[in-house]
Amino acid sequence: DQQVKQNSPSLSVQEGRISILNCDYTNSMFDYFLWYKKYPAEGPTFLISISSIKDKNEDGRFTVFLNKSAKHLSLHIVPSQPGDSAVYFCAAHPYGGSQGNLIFGKGTKLSVKP
Amino acid sequence: DVKVTQSSRYLVKRTGEKVFLECVQDMDHENMFWYRQDPGLGLRLIYFSYDVKMKEKGDIPEGYSVSREKKERFSLILESASTNQTSMYLCASSPLIGSNLNTEAFFGQGTRLTVV
């Protein structure tokens, strides 16, 4: 049973426009959420995170929004650039999990067209 | 700069071979993880370790074992490689998380294993 769901396997956006990647979760005990970016043949790299006590976190062109009542988070990239083309993984950390185990979604492949 | 290094970028092994994937981190992290990534399935946790000689099964441990004899090194072992273990294998590490701290896991560059 998937606890972290990314229902869109792919997304295509024009350069300069906004990219919105969505993630839903089922476990209300998740207390920390992260987005990772992955290029082919490379390991994932951390992008941005948000604690469950916040509803928004911004870092440059990247903003993550958390809606706890809907168990939904989204990553906004504005403006989108061709270099943003990658697979984006949403991940969640369970509350009280001291081992730091992250639960990942299946990923969304973003293509930003020039 | 945190560094997680996997011993090989690409490996080709024969069915039935014993395969060792090595991972080393240089940040004195307590936690280390092995994931595999397959198209349409995302990152799935195979095993993780939160201390030397400690290990916990992840979501898909069948056909794998692990070894953590030193804090900085976490090995993934395929006892008898099979074609369905062809995948991208990713090692990660993270510090122990306290009640008020949250942090990300840092990943290695991945090992693309092909079993023929």
Side-chain angles (χ1 to χ4, degrees):
Chain A
D1 191 27
Q2 260 192 287
Q3 297 188 67
V4 178
K5 299 178 186 178
Q6 293 177 257
N7 292 320
S8 298
S10 63
L11 175 68
S12 184
V13 171
Q14 204 67 33
E15 181 179 6
R17 298 287 187 103
I18 184 170
S19 295
I20 300 176
L21 296 101
N22 293 305
C23 179
D24 296 295
Y25 61 95
T26 58
N27 189 341
S28 58
M29 295 301 286
F30 289 148
D31 69 342
Y32 189 61
F33 302 90
L34 306 91
W35 284 94
Y36 280 82
K37 176 179 178 180
K38 186 182 183 298
Y39 293 117
E42 293 184 15
T45 54
F46 170 73
L47 195 56
I48 193 169
S49 63
I50 188 166
S51 166
S52 61
I53 62 173
K54 295 187 175 182
D55 54 18
K56 178 182 174 181
N57 188 25
E58 192 171 352
D59 183 3
R61 295 187 297 116
F62 302 92
T63 303
V64 56
F65 295 92
L66 175 62
N67 182 335
K68 284 196 295 291
S69 61
K71 294 192 180 70
H72 176 83
L73 66 155
S74 60
L75 173 68
H76 292 210
I77 306 173
V78 183
S80 303
Q81 299 173 355
D84 296 329
S85 297
V87 177
Y88 289 80
F89 290 99
C90 172
H93 179 258
Y95 176 77
S98 63
Q99 285 79 25
N101 184 24
L102 293 173
I103 300 171
F104 285 87
K106 292 186 177 181
T108 297
K109 183 176 183 180
L110 174 66
S111 300
V112 180
K113 300 191 183 307
Chain B
D1 227 17
V2 175
K3 197 159 186 188
V4 179
T5 304
Q6 295 181 229
S7 53
S8 304
R9 291 296 299 268
Y10 300 95
L11 273 180
V12 180
K13 296 292 181 181
R14 294 193 182 279
T15 301
E17 274 193 79
K18 190 168 187 176
V19 181
F20 293 86
L21 302 183
E22 306 286 347
C23 176
V24 176
Q25 51 97 0
D26 64 0
M27 282 302 291
D28 201 37
H29 285 167
E30 287 79 10
N31 301 317
M32 295 190 75
F33 311 87
W34 275 106
Y35 291 88
R36 62 178 280 179
Q37 183 202 1
D38 301 287
L41 297 177
L43 275 71
R44 294 181 292 166
L45 182 66
I46 305 171
Y47 267 97
F48 68 97
S49 168
Y50 53 89
D51 201 353
V52 175
K53 296 194 188 294
M54 304 301 288
K55 61 185 179 184
E56 294 284 342
K57 292 181 180 179
D59 300 319
I60 50 164
E62 296 79 19
Y64 303 94
S65 62
V66 290
S67 172
R68 185 130 182 240
E69 296 296 317
K70 293 185 178 181
K71 191 175 185 180
E72 68 270 18
R73 187 178 296 270
F74 192 36
S75 303
L76 180 70
I77 303 152
L78 287 66
E79 297 290 342
S80 176
S82 63
T83 54
N84 63 14
Q85 292 178 310
T86 291
S87 186
M88 167 73 95
Y89 289 88
L90 294 158
C91 175
S93 73
S94 72
L96 193 66
I97 292 180
S99 58
N100 294 317
L101 292 173
N102 281 301
T103 186
E104 69 269 25
F106 298 87
F107 282 84
Q109 78 277 26
T111 297
R112 169 68 66 184
L113 173 67
T114 303
V115 182
V116 297

Short mmCIF file of all heavy atoms in Angstrom, two decimals, chain A residues 31-32 34 36 38 40-46 51 87 89 93 95 97-107, chain B residues 9-10 31 33 35 37 40-43 45 48 50 88 90 94-97 102-110:
data_model
loop_
_atom_site.label_atom_id
_atom_site.label_comp_id
_atom_site.label_asym_id
_atom_site.label_seq_id
_atom_site.Cartn_x
_atom_site.Cartn_y
_atom_site.Cartn_z
N ASP A 31 5.94 13.68 9.53
CA ASP A 31 6.17 15.01 10.10
C ASP A 31 7.17 15.85 9.31
O ASP A 31 7.47 16.98 9.68
CB ASP A 31 6.62 14.89 11.57
CG ASP A 31 8.02 14.30 11.71
OD1 ASP A 31 8.50 13.68 10.74
OD2 ASP A 31 8.62 14.49 12.77
N TYR A 32 7.70 15.29 8.26
CA TYR A 32 8.72 16.02 7.50
C TYR A 32 8.68 15.51 6.08
O TYR A 32 8.62 14.30 5.86
CB TYR A 32 10.07 15.75 8.15
CG TYR A 32 11.23 16.58 7.65
CD1 TYR A 32 11.23 17.96 7.77
CD2 TYR A 32 12.35 15.97 7.10
CE1 TYR A 32 12.29 18.72 7.34
CE2 TYR A 32 13.42 16.72 6.67
CZ TYR A 32 13.40 18.09 6.79
OH TYR A 32 14.47 18.85 6.37
N LEU A 34 10.18 15.95 1.93
CA LEU A 34 11.32 16.38 1.15
C LEU A 34 11.04 16.17 -0.34
O LEU A 34 10.28 15.27 -0.72
CB LEU A 34 12.58 15.57 1.52
CG LEU A 34 12.96 15.52 2.99
CD1 LEU A 34 12.31 14.32 3.70
CD2 LEU A 34 14.48 15.41 3.13
N TYR A 36 13.30 15.47 -3.86
CA TYR A 36 14.58 15.16 -4.45
C TYR A 36 14.47 15.27 -5.96
O TYR A 36 13.42 15.00 -6.55
CB TYR A 36 15.02 13.73 -4.08
CG TYR A 36 15.60 13.57 -2.71
CD1 TYR A 36 14.78 13.44 -1.60
CD2 TYR A 36 16.98 13.54 -2.52
CE1 TYR A 36 15.33 13.29 -0.33
CE2 TYR A 36 17.52 13.38 -1.26
CZ TYR A 36 16.69 13.26 -0.18
OH TYR A 36 17.23 13.11 1.07
N LYS A 38 16.38 13.98 -9.57
CA LYS A 38 17.30 12.95 -10.04
C LYS A 38 17.48 13.04 -11.55
O LYS A 38 16.51 12.96 -12.31
CB LYS A 38 16.79 11.56 -9.65
CG LYS A 38 17.79 10.46 -9.99
CD LYS A 38 17.26 9.10 -9.64
CE LYS A 38 18.31 8.04 -9.93
NZ LYS A 38 18.69 7.98 -11.36
N PRO A 40 19.28 11.24 -14.97
CA PRO A 40 19.62 9.86 -15.35
C PRO A 40 21.06 9.52 -14.97
O PRO A 40 21.95 10.37 -15.07
CB PRO A 40 19.44 9.87 -16.88
CG PRO A 40 18.49 10.98 -17.14
CD PRO A 40 18.77 12.02 -16.11
N ALA A 41 21.28 8.32 -14.52
CA ALA A 41 22.61 7.80 -14.18
C ALA A 41 23.29 8.57 -13.04
O ALA A 41 24.52 8.52 -12.90
CB ALA A 41 23.53 7.79 -15.41
N GLU A 42 22.50 9.29 -12.25
CA GLU A 42 23.05 9.95 -11.06
C GLU A 42 22.17 9.63 -9.87
O GLU A 42 21.01 9.26 -10.01
CB GLU A 42 23.11 11.47 -11.25
CG GLU A 42 24.10 11.93 -12.29
CD GLU A 42 24.19 13.45 -12.36
OE1 GLU A 42 23.71 14.12 -11.42
OE2 GLU A 42 24.73 13.95 -13.35
N GLY A 43 22.73 9.81 -8.67
CA GLY A 43 21.92 9.65 -7.47
C GLY A 43 21.01 10.85 -7.26
O GLY A 43 21.27 11.94 -7.76
N PRO A 44 19.92 10.68 -6.51
CA PRO A 44 19.04 11.81 -6.20
C PRO A 44 19.77 12.87 -5.39
O PRO A 44 20.62 12.55 -4.56
CB PRO A 44 17.92 11.17 -5.37
CG PRO A 44 17.99 9.72 -5.66
CD PRO A 44 19.42 9.43 -5.93
N THR A 45 19.43 14.11 -5.62
CA THR A 45 19.97 15.20 -4.81
C THR A 45 18.82 15.93 -4.14
O THR A 45 17.76 16.15 -4.73
CB THR A 45 20.79 16.18 -5.65
OG1 THR A 45 19.98 16.63 -6.75
CG2 THR A 45 22.04 15.54 -6.18
N PHE A 46 19.07 16.29 -2.91
CA PHE A 46 18.06 16.98 -2.12
C PHE A 46 17.76 18.35 -2.72
O PHE A 46 18.67 19.09 -3.13
CB PHE A 46 18.57 17.12 -0.69
CG PHE A 46 17.74 18.03 0.17
CD1 PHE A 46 16.50 17.63 0.62
CD2 PHE A 46 18.21 19.28 0.53
CE1 PHE A 46 15.73 18.45 1.41
CE2 PHE A 46 17.45 20.11 1.32
CZ PHE A 46 16.21 19.70 1.76
N SER A 51 8.70 21.12 7.09
CA SER A 51 8.24 20.47 8.31
C SER A 51 6.72 20.53 8.37
O SER A 51 6.10 21.44 7.82
CB SER A 51 8.84 21.19 9.52
OG SER A 51 8.19 20.80 10.69
N VAL A 87 13.73 13.71 -13.00
CA VAL A 87 12.68 13.03 -12.24
C VAL A 87 12.67 13.60 -10.83
O VAL A 87 13.73 13.72 -10.20
CB VAL A 87 12.91 11.50 -12.19
CG1 VAL A 87 11.83 10.83 -11.33
CG2 VAL A 87 12.90 10.93 -13.60
N PHE A 89 11.26 13.28 -6.99
CA PHE A 89 10.69 12.35 -6.01
C PHE A 89 10.25 13.12 -4.78
O PHE A 89 11.00 13.93 -4.22
CB PHE A 89 11.72 11.31 -5.58
CG PHE A 89 12.07 10.32 -6.65
CD1 PHE A 89 13.23 10.46 -7.40
CD2 PHE A 89 11.26 9.22 -6.89
CE1 PHE A 89 13.56 9.55 -8.39
CE2 PHE A 89 11.58 8.30 -7.88
CZ PHE A 89 12.73 8.47 -8.62
N HIS A 93 8.98 11.53 5.99
CA HIS A 93 9.63 10.93 7.16
C HIS A 93 8.60 10.74 8.26
O HIS A 93 7.92 11.70 8.63
CB HIS A 93 10.75 11.84 7.64
CG HIS A 93 11.45 11.31 8.85
ND1 HIS A 93 11.21 11.79 10.12
CD2 HIS A 93 12.37 10.35 8.99
CE1 HIS A 93 11.95 11.13 10.98
NE2 HIS A 93 12.66 10.27 10.33
N TYR A 95 6.95 10.46 11.88
CA TYR A 95 7.21 11.07 13.19
C TYR A 95 7.81 10.04 14.14
O TYR A 95 7.33 8.92 14.22
CB TYR A 95 5.90 11.61 13.77
CG TYR A 95 6.06 12.18 15.16
CD1 TYR A 95 6.63 13.43 15.34
CD2 TYR A 95 5.66 11.46 16.28
CE1 TYR A 95 6.79 13.95 16.61
CE2 TYR A 95 5.81 11.98 17.55
CZ TYR A 95 6.37 13.23 17.70
OH TYR A 95 6.53 13.74 18.95
N GLY A 97 10.53 8.56 13.91
CA GLY A 97 11.41 7.58 13.29
C GLY A 97 12.86 8.01 13.39
O GLY A 97 13.36 8.72 12.53
N SER A 98 13.55 7.62 14.42
CA SER A 98 14.91 8.13 14.62
C SER A 98 15.89 7.58 13.62
O SER A 98 16.96 8.13 13.44
CB SER A 98 15.39 7.78 16.04
OG SER A 98 15.45 6.37 16.19
N GLN A 99 15.54 6.51 12.96
CA GLN A 99 16.47 5.95 11.98
C GLN A 99 16.51 6.74 10.70
O GLN A 99 17.34 6.50 9.85
CB GLN A 99 16.11 4.49 11.68
CG GLN A 99 16.49 3.53 12.78
CD GLN A 99 15.51 3.56 13.93
OE1 GLN A 99 14.38 3.91 13.74
NE2 GLN A 99 15.95 3.20 15.11
N GLY A 100 15.62 7.70 10.54
CA GLY A 100 15.70 8.56 9.36
C GLY A 100 15.26 7.91 8.09
O GLY A 100 15.59 8.36 7.01
N ASN A 101 14.50 6.83 8.20
CA ASN A 101 14.04 6.17 6.99
C ASN A 101 13.05 7.03 6.25
O ASN A 101 12.10 7.53 6.83
CB ASN A 101 13.39 4.84 7.39
CG ASN A 101 12.96 4.04 6.19
OD1 ASN A 101 13.51 4.21 5.12
ND2 ASN A 101 11.99 3.18 6.36
N LEU A 102 13.29 7.25 4.97
CA LEU A 102 12.39 8.04 4.13
C LEU A 102 11.55 7.13 3.26
O LEU A 102 12.03 6.13 2.75
CB LEU A 102 13.20 8.99 3.25
CG LEU A 102 13.96 10.11 3.95
CD1 LEU A 102 14.83 10.86 2.96
CD2 LEU A 102 13.00 11.06 4.64
N ILE A 103 10.31 7.52 3.09
CA ILE A 103 9.40 6.79 2.21
C ILE A 103 9.19 7.63 0.97
O ILE A 103 8.76 8.79 1.05
CB ILE A 103 8.08 6.49 2.93
CG1 ILE A 103 8.35 5.64 4.17
CG2 ILE A 103 7.10 5.78 1.99
CD1 ILE A 103 7.18 5.47 5.08
N PHE A 104 9.50 7.06 -0.18
CA PHE A 104 9.48 7.80 -1.44
C PHE A 104 8.25 7.49 -2.27
O PHE A 104 7.71 6.38 -2.24
CB PHE A 104 10.72 7.44 -2.28
CG PHE A 104 11.99 8.05 -1.78
CD1 PHE A 104 12.75 7.41 -0.81
CD2 PHE A 104 12.44 9.26 -2.28
CE1 PHE A 104 13.93 7.98 -0.34
CE2 PHE A 104 13.62 9.82 -1.83
CZ PHE A 104 14.36 9.19 -0.86
N GLY A 105 7.84 8.50 -3.04
CA GLY A 105 6.86 8.27 -4.09
C GLY A 105 7.55 7.69 -5.31
O GLY A 105 8.76 7.47 -5.32
N LYS A 106 6.76 7.43 -6.37
CA LYS A 106 7.31 6.78 -7.55
C LYS A 106 7.99 7.76 -8.50
O LYS A 106 8.65 7.34 -9.44
CB LYS A 106 6.21 6.04 -8.30
CG LYS A 106 5.69 4.84 -7.53
CD LYS A 106 4.70 4.04 -8.34
CE LYS A 106 4.27 2.80 -7.56
NZ LYS A 106 3.33 1.97 -8.34
N GLY A 107 7.82 9.05 -8.25
CA GLY A 107 8.52 10.03 -9.06
C GLY A 107 7.66 10.59 -10.19
O GLY A 107 6.74 9.94 -10.68
N ARG B 9 30.12 2.38 -10.91
CA ARG B 9 29.00 3.05 -11.59
C ARG B 9 28.18 2.05 -12.41
O ARG B 9 26.97 2.14 -12.49
CB ARG B 9 29.52 4.14 -12.53
CG ARG B 9 30.12 5.35 -11.86
CD ARG B 9 29.11 6.11 -11.03
NE ARG B 9 28.00 6.62 -11.82
CZ ARG B 9 27.96 7.83 -12.36
NH1 ARG B 9 28.97 8.66 -12.25
NH2 ARG B 9 26.90 8.23 -13.04
N TYR B 10 28.91 1.12 -13.04
CA TYR B 10 28.26 0.12 -13.88
C TYR B 10 28.85 -1.25 -13.58
O TYR B 10 30.06 -1.39 -13.41
CB TYR B 10 28.46 0.44 -15.37
CG TYR B 10 27.91 1.77 -15.79
CD1 TYR B 10 28.73 2.90 -15.82
CD2 TYR B 10 26.57 1.92 -16.13
CE1 TYR B 10 28.22 4.14 -16.18
CE2 TYR B 10 26.06 3.15 -16.49
CZ TYR B 10 26.89 4.25 -16.52
OH TYR B 10 26.37 5.47 -16.88
N ASN B 31 23.05 6.51 10.07
CA ASN B 31 22.13 5.76 9.22
C ASN B 31 22.70 5.55 7.83
O ASN B 31 23.25 6.47 7.23
CB ASN B 31 20.81 6.51 9.05
CG ASN B 31 20.11 6.76 10.37
OD1 ASN B 31 20.05 5.90 11.22
ND2 ASN B 31 19.59 7.97 10.53
N PHE B 33 21.55 3.41 4.02
CA PHE B 33 20.41 2.79 3.34
C PHE B 33 20.84 2.24 1.98
O PHE B 33 21.72 2.80 1.33
CB PHE B 33 19.31 3.84 3.07
CG PHE B 33 18.94 4.67 4.27
CD1 PHE B 33 19.63 5.82 4.57
CD2 PHE B 33 17.88 4.29 5.08
CE1 PHE B 33 19.28 6.60 5.67
CE2 PHE B 33 17.52 5.07 6.17
CZ PHE B 33 18.22 6.22 6.47
N TYR B 35 18.74 1.44 -1.57
CA TYR B 35 17.50 1.48 -2.36
C TYR B 35 17.78 0.91 -3.74
O TYR B 35 18.92 0.90 -4.21
CB TYR B 35 17.03 2.93 -2.55
CG TYR B 35 16.54 3.64 -1.32
CD1 TYR B 35 17.41 4.34 -0.49
CD2 TYR B 35 15.18 3.66 -1.01
CE1 TYR B 35 16.95 5.02 0.63
CE2 TYR B 35 14.71 4.35 0.12
CZ TYR B 35 15.61 5.03 0.91
OH TYR B 35 15.15 5.70 2.01
N GLN B 37 16.12 1.55 -7.72
CA GLN B 37 15.21 2.37 -8.49
C GLN B 37 14.88 1.68 -9.79
O GLN B 37 15.80 1.30 -10.55
CB GLN B 37 15.82 3.74 -8.81
CG GLN B 37 14.85 4.64 -9.55
CD GLN B 37 15.52 5.74 -10.33
OE1 GLN B 37 16.73 5.86 -10.35
NE2 GLN B 37 14.73 6.58 -10.98
N GLY B 40 8.87 3.40 -13.07
CA GLY B 40 7.49 3.24 -12.64
C GLY B 40 7.32 2.77 -11.22
O GLY B 40 6.19 2.70 -10.71
N LEU B 41 8.42 2.44 -10.55
CA LEU B 41 8.32 1.93 -9.18
C LEU B 41 9.00 2.85 -8.17
O LEU B 41 8.88 2.63 -6.96
CB LEU B 41 8.94 0.53 -9.09
CG LEU B 41 8.25 -0.55 -9.92
CD1 LEU B 41 9.01 -1.87 -9.81
CD2 LEU B 41 6.80 -0.75 -9.47
N GLY B 42 9.70 3.86 -8.63
CA GLY B 42 10.33 4.79 -7.72
C GLY B 42 11.50 4.18 -6.98
O GLY B 42 12.14 3.25 -7.45
N LEU B 43 11.78 4.71 -5.79
CA LEU B 43 12.87 4.22 -4.95
C LEU B 43 12.28 3.28 -3.89
O LEU B 43 11.42 3.69 -3.11
CB LEU B 43 13.59 5.37 -4.26
CG LEU B 43 14.68 6.08 -5.03
CD1 LEU B 43 14.10 6.90 -6.16
CD2 LEU B 43 15.50 6.97 -4.10
N LEU B 45 13.12 0.71 -0.67
CA LEU B 45 14.13 0.44 0.33
C LEU B 45 14.38 -1.06 0.45
O LEU B 45 13.45 -1.84 0.67
CB LEU B 45 13.70 1.03 1.67
CG LEU B 45 14.67 0.87 2.83
CD1 LEU B 45 15.94 1.68 2.57
CD2 LEU B 45 14.02 1.32 4.12
N PHE B 48 18.26 -1.12 5.62
CA PHE B 48 18.95 0.02 6.21
C PHE B 48 19.63 -0.39 7.50
O PHE B 48 19.34 -1.45 8.08
CB PHE B 48 18.01 1.22 6.38
CG PHE B 48 16.93 1.06 7.41
CD1 PHE B 48 17.09 1.56 8.70
CD2 PHE B 48 15.74 0.44 7.08
CE1 PHE B 48 16.08 1.44 9.63
CE2 PHE B 48 14.73 0.31 8.00
CZ PHE B 48 14.89 0.82 9.29
N TYR B 50 21.20 1.46 11.21
CA TYR B 50 21.29 2.66 12.03
C TYR B 50 22.49 2.62 12.97
O TYR B 50 22.67 3.51 13.80
CB TYR B 50 19.99 2.92 12.79
CG TYR B 50 19.50 1.75 13.60
CD1 TYR B 50 19.91 1.55 14.91
CD2 TYR B 50 18.62 0.82 13.04
CE1 TYR B 50 19.46 0.48 15.64
CE2 TYR B 50 18.17 -0.26 13.76
CZ TYR B 50 18.59 -0.43 15.06
OH TYR B 50 18.15 -1.51 15.78
N MET B 88 18.99 -0.05 -10.93
CA MET B 88 19.89 0.99 -10.42
C MET B 88 19.85 0.90 -8.90
O MET B 88 18.78 0.98 -8.29
CB MET B 88 19.41 2.37 -10.88
CG MET B 88 20.07 3.53 -10.15
SD MET B 88 21.78 3.80 -10.64
CE MET B 88 21.55 5.06 -11.91
N LEU B 90 21.01 2.42 -5.25
CA LEU B 90 21.39 3.69 -4.66
C LEU B 90 21.64 3.52 -3.17
O LEU B 90 20.80 3.00 -2.45
CB LEU B 90 20.29 4.73 -4.88
CG LEU B 90 20.07 5.12 -6.34
CD1 LEU B 90 18.68 5.69 -6.54
CD2 LEU B 90 21.11 6.13 -6.78
N SER B 94 22.44 9.24 6.37
CA SER B 94 21.89 10.41 7.06
C SER B 94 22.29 10.33 8.53
O SER B 94 22.54 9.24 9.05
CB SER B 94 20.36 10.46 6.92
OG SER B 94 19.74 9.46 7.69
N PRO B 95 22.34 11.49 9.18
CA PRO B 95 22.65 11.46 10.61
C PRO B 95 21.45 10.96 11.40
O PRO B 95 20.33 10.95 10.90
CB PRO B 95 22.95 12.92 10.94
CG PRO B 95 22.28 13.70 9.88
CD PRO B 95 22.21 12.85 8.66
N LEU B 96 21.70 10.56 12.62
CA LEU B 96 20.61 10.14 13.49
C LEU B 96 19.71 11.32 13.74
O LEU B 96 20.18 12.42 14.01
CB LEU B 96 21.19 9.62 14.80
CG LEU B 96 20.24 8.85 15.72
CD1 LEU B 96 19.84 7.54 15.05
CD2 LEU B 96 20.91 8.58 17.05
N ILE B 97 18.43 11.12 13.66
CA ILE B 97 17.48 12.22 13.77
C ILE B 97 16.98 12.30 15.21
O ILE B 97 16.43 11.35 15.74
CB ILE B 97 16.32 12.02 12.80
CG1 ILE B 97 16.83 12.15 11.36
CG2 ILE B 97 15.21 13.02 13.07
CD1 ILE B 97 15.76 11.98 10.32
N ASN B 102 15.46 17.57 11.76
CA ASN B 102 15.12 16.83 10.55
C ASN B 102 16.20 17.10 9.53
O ASN B 102 16.70 18.20 9.42
CB ASN B 102 13.76 17.28 10.01
CG ASN B 102 12.63 16.65 10.80
OD1 ASN B 102 12.52 15.44 10.87
ND2 ASN B 102 11.81 17.47 11.40
N THR B 103 16.53 16.12 8.80
CA THR B 103 17.55 16.31 7.81
C THR B 103 17.33 15.37 6.65
O THR B 103 16.61 14.39 6.76
CB THR B 103 18.94 16.09 8.43
OG1 THR B 103 19.93 16.42 7.46
CG2 THR B 103 19.13 14.63 8.82
N GLU B 104 17.99 15.70 5.57
CA GLU B 104 17.82 14.87 4.40
C GLU B 104 18.82 13.73 4.39
O GLU B 104 19.81 13.74 5.10
CB GLU B 104 17.99 15.71 3.13
CG GLU B 104 19.42 16.20 2.89
CD GLU B 104 19.67 17.56 3.51
OE1 GLU B 104 18.98 17.92 4.47
OE2 GLU B 104 20.58 18.24 3.01
N ALA B 105 18.55 12.75 3.55
CA ALA B 105 19.51 11.69 3.28
C ALA B 105 20.35 12.10 2.08
O ALA B 105 19.86 12.77 1.16
CB ALA B 105 18.78 10.37 3.00
N PHE B 106 21.60 11.73 2.09
CA PHE B 106 22.51 12.05 1.00
C PHE B 106 22.78 10.78 0.21
O PHE B 106 23.12 9.74 0.79
CB PHE B 106 23.82 12.61 1.56
CG PHE B 106 23.64 13.88 2.32
CD1 PHE B 106 23.33 13.86 3.67
CD2 PHE B 106 23.78 15.11 1.69
CE1 PHE B 106 23.15 15.04 4.39
CE2 PHE B 106 23.60 16.29 2.40
CZ PHE B 106 23.28 16.26 3.75
N PHE B 107 22.67 10.88 -1.09
CA PHE B 107 22.78 9.71 -1.95
C PHE B 107 24.13 9.63 -2.66
O PHE B 107 24.75 10.66 -2.98
CB PHE B 107 21.68 9.73 -3.01
CG PHE B 107 20.33 9.30 -2.48
CD1 PHE B 107 19.51 10.21 -1.86
CD2 PHE B 107 19.91 8.00 -2.61
CE1 PHE B 107 18.26 9.83 -1.37
CE2 PHE B 107 18.67 7.59 -2.14
CZ PHE B 107 17.85 8.52 -1.51
N GLY B 108 24.53 8.40 -2.92
CA GLY B 108 25.65 8.16 -3.82
C GLY B 108 25.20 8.31 -5.26
O GLY B 108 24.04 8.58 -5.56
N GLN B 109 26.14 8.11 -6.17
CA GLN B 109 25.86 8.34 -7.59
C GLN B 109 25.12 7.19 -8.25
O GLN B 109 24.65 7.31 -9.37
CB GLN B 109 27.17 8.63 -8.34
CG GLN B 109 28.02 7.40 -8.65
CD GLN B 109 28.90 6.95 -7.49
OE1 GLN B 109 28.61 7.20 -6.30
NE2 GLN B 109 29.99 6.28 -7.81
N GLY B 110 25.00 6.08 -7.54
CA GLY B 110 24.25 4.94 -8.07
C GLY B 110 25.14 3.93 -8.77
O GLY B 110 26.20 4.27 -9.32
#
